[in-house]
Amino acid sequence: MSTLAPLRLLREPWNASEGNQSNATVWASGGWCQGLDIPNELFLALGLVSLVENLLVVAAILKNRNLHSPTYYFICCLAVSDMLVSISNLAEMLFMLLLEHGVLVMRPSIVRHMDNVIDVLICSSVVSVVSSLSFLGVIAVDRYITIFYALRYHSIMTLQRAVVTMASVWLASTVSSAVLITYYHSNTILLCLIGFFLFMLVLMLVLYIHMFALARHHLHSISSQQKPPTAHRGGSLKGAVTLTILLGVFFICWGPFFFHLILIVTCPTNPFCTCFFSYFNLFLILIICNSVIDPLIYAFRSQELRRTLREVVTCSW
């Protein structure tokens, strides 16, 4: 077995002839093309940290009634998406480490059966790819409505519409992930996944550029009139900054993985691409790091959530 098994199906290109792939591998067998040997313990440690952090975020949102709003429900769903990666990673890493250190002894037939069971669990990690992208887009749209349609926000983003949105995202993510796992060898499926990634990225960039253009105009008006900003508008703009940081972190952590998919489609036998493929473990580490970093951003950027997190940690229920 291997970490994040469904994602590792995409480790090597399948659309290259055996001879060409062998030649590219020989060319890339030296120097920096050897890749990185990342220990399983690092995957385990990052998965554990991510799981604890995201559990705290979910617990804080559920505990504090002031956080029972569409925006924080979307953030909660994003935390759950990150937890899917953490849980699947922890399950497989624990199983592998127990086998490697002789703590767990099983017959080969049972090991194969456990491998299939854990692979089913790890399929949930693929759901996080689409759901994380989707919820980042949903949160950006929600923040956009908050800033540009502040007076109509509660009539536009009702609780019922928020629930429908969350259910739709989870359903679409599950279906698309099942298709990806089943037909991962199809270039068409990979192109759809890459296209979705680029679409959401462009959508969020456009929304944030528009929001920051408003922020700049607003600050200019304040400086000219010498008036303090309203708390509502100031909080909305602070939220835009938070989500922009989230977008940047997401792009850095997921960008290499999607670039890996692009290279699989465009240049499976190119020596440079083959070298890039050898760093796949690093791309998986970055994906898990995204799940670790997101809760830290929530805690430090949201005063209400930070206060509730302290209460959860100290068991002040």
Side-chain angles (χ1 to χ4, degrees), residues 163-173:
V163 171
V164 171
T165 300
M166 291 184 289
S168 300
V169 169
W170 283 117
L171 178 61
S173 300

Side-chain angles (χ1 to χ4, degrees), residues 176-292:
S176 59
S177 298
V179 174
L180 172 63
I181 294 171
T182 304
Y183 301 102
Y184 71 94
H185 57 281
S186 170
N187 280 349
T188 302
I189 297 298
L190 286 190
L191 287 174
C192 291
L193 182 60
I194 295 169
F196 178 71
F197 173 78
L198 295 176
F199 169 77
M200 295 303 298
L201 198 59
V202 171
L203 173 64
M204 288 183 279
L205 284 174
V206 170
L207 293 179
Y208 290 140
I209 290 174
H210 197 187
M211 283 189 281
F212 280 119
L214 174 66
R216 184 176 180 181
H217 175 73
H218 185 63
L219 292 176
H220 182 269
S221 300
I222 292 173
S223 61
S224 62
Q225 299 176 12
Q226 296 298 319
K227 293 181 179 180
T230 62
H232 179 77
R233 182 60 60 88
S236 298
L237 296 178
K238 181 180 178 180
V241 174
T242 300
L243 296 176
T244 302
I245 295 174
L246 286 173
L247 175 62
V249 170
F250 187 89
F251 179 78
I252 292 173
C253 293
W254 279 100
F257 172 76
F258 278 92
F259 186 59
H260 173 92
L261 299 186
I262 293 174
L263 295 185
I264 286 181
V265 175
T266 58
C267 59
T269 61
N270 184 278
F272 169 79
C273 298
T274 304
C275 284
F276 196 82
F277 297 152
S278 66
Y279 287 85
F280 192 73
N281 280 344
L282 176 61
F283 309 154
L284 294 184
I285 284 291
L286 290 175
I287 290 174
I288 300 176
C289 284
N290 178 76
S291 302
V292 174

Side-chain angles (χ1 to χ4, degrees), residues 12-302:
E12 299 292 345
W14 56 86
N15 52 348
S17 64
E18 184 176 351
N20 290 337
Q21 197 171 3
S22 177
N23 292 336
T25 303
V26 170
W27 184 92
S29 61
W32 65 276
C33 295
Q34 291 294 331
L36 294 177
D37 184 17
I38 300 178
N40 290 334
E41 288 78 5
L42 180 58
F43 282 98
L44 182 65
L46 288 176
L48 184 60
V49 172
S50 173
L51 178 61
V52 172
E53 288 180 342
N54 285 287
L55 276 175
L56 288 175
V57 171
V58 173
I61 293 176
L62 293 178
K63 176 183 184 295
N64 191 341
R65 290 186 177 275
N66 294 332
L67 301 178
H68 291 184
S69 64
T71 297
Y72 282 100
Y73 284 149
F74 297 146
I75 291 176
C76 183
C77 287
L78 183 59
V80 172
S81 297
D82 291 337
M83 285 173 56
L84 292 179
V85 177
S86 304
I87 293 173
S88 60
N89 178 59
L90 284 173
E92 188 173 17
M93 282 299 98
L94 284 173
F95 184 66
M96 291 179 63
L97 290 174
L98 290 175
L99 288 177
E100 289 177 2
H101 292 81
V103 178
L104 187 62
V105 180
M106 292 183 177
R107 295 194 303 270
S109 59
I110 299 179
V111 172
R112 287 193 295 270
H113 178 70
M114 289 299 297
D115 180 52
N116 294 331
V117 172
I118 293 180
D119 278 351
V120 173
L121 174 64
I122 295 177
C123 286
S124 62
S125 66
V126 184
V127 179
S128 69
V129 179
V130 180
S131 61
S132 294
L133 270 173
S134 300
F135 281 116
L136 278 174
V138 169
I139 294 171
V141 172
D142 177 78
R143 185 55 56 188
Y144 185 87
I145 296 174
T146 302
I147 293 176
F148 288 93
Y149 302 94
L151 298 179
R152 298 173 51 201
Y153 174 80
H154 294 290
S155 62
I156 295 175
M157 187 58 67
T158 62
L159 181 59
Q160 182 179 3
R161 288 176 179 172
V163 171
V164 171
T165 300
M166 291 184 289
S168 300
V169 169
W170 283 117
L171 178 61
S173 300
T174 302
V175 173
S176 59
S177 298
V179 174
L180 172 63
I181 294 171
T182 304
Y183 301 102
Y184 71 94
H185 57 281
S186 170
N187 280 349
T188 302
I189 297 298
L190 286 190
L191 287 174
C192 291
L193 182 60
I194 295 169
F196 178 71
F197 173 78
L198 295 176
F199 169 77
M200 295 303 298
L201 198 59
V202 171
L203 173 64
M204 288 183 279
L205 284 174
V206 170
L207 293 179
Y208 290 140
I209 290 174
H210 197 187
M211 283 189 281
F212 280 119
L214 174 66
R216 184 176 180 181
H217 175 73
H218 185 63
L219 292 176
H220 182 269
S221 300
I222 292 173
S223 61
S224 62
Q225 299 176 12
Q226 296 298 319
K227 293 181 179 180
T230 62
H232 179 77
R233 182 60 60 88
S236 298
L237 296 178
K238 181 180 178 180
V241 174
T242 300
L243 296 176
T244 302
I245 295 174
L246 286 173
L247 175 62
V249 170
F250 187 89
F251 179 78
I252 292 173
C253 293
W254 279 100
F257 172 76
F258 278 92
F259 186 59
H260 173 92
L261 299 186
I262 293 174
L263 295 185
I264 286 181
V265 175
T266 58
C267 59
T269 61
N270 184 278
F272 169 79
C273 298
T274 304
C275 284
F276 196 82
F277 297 152
S278 66
Y279 287 85
F280 192 73
N281 280 344
L282 176 61
F283 309 154
L284 294 184
I285 284 291
L286 290 175
I287 290 174
I288 300 176
C289 284
N290 178 76
S291 302
V292 174
I293 295 172
D294 282 353
L296 297 178
I297 299 175
Y298 305 146
F300 285 104
R301 298 293 298 182
S302 172

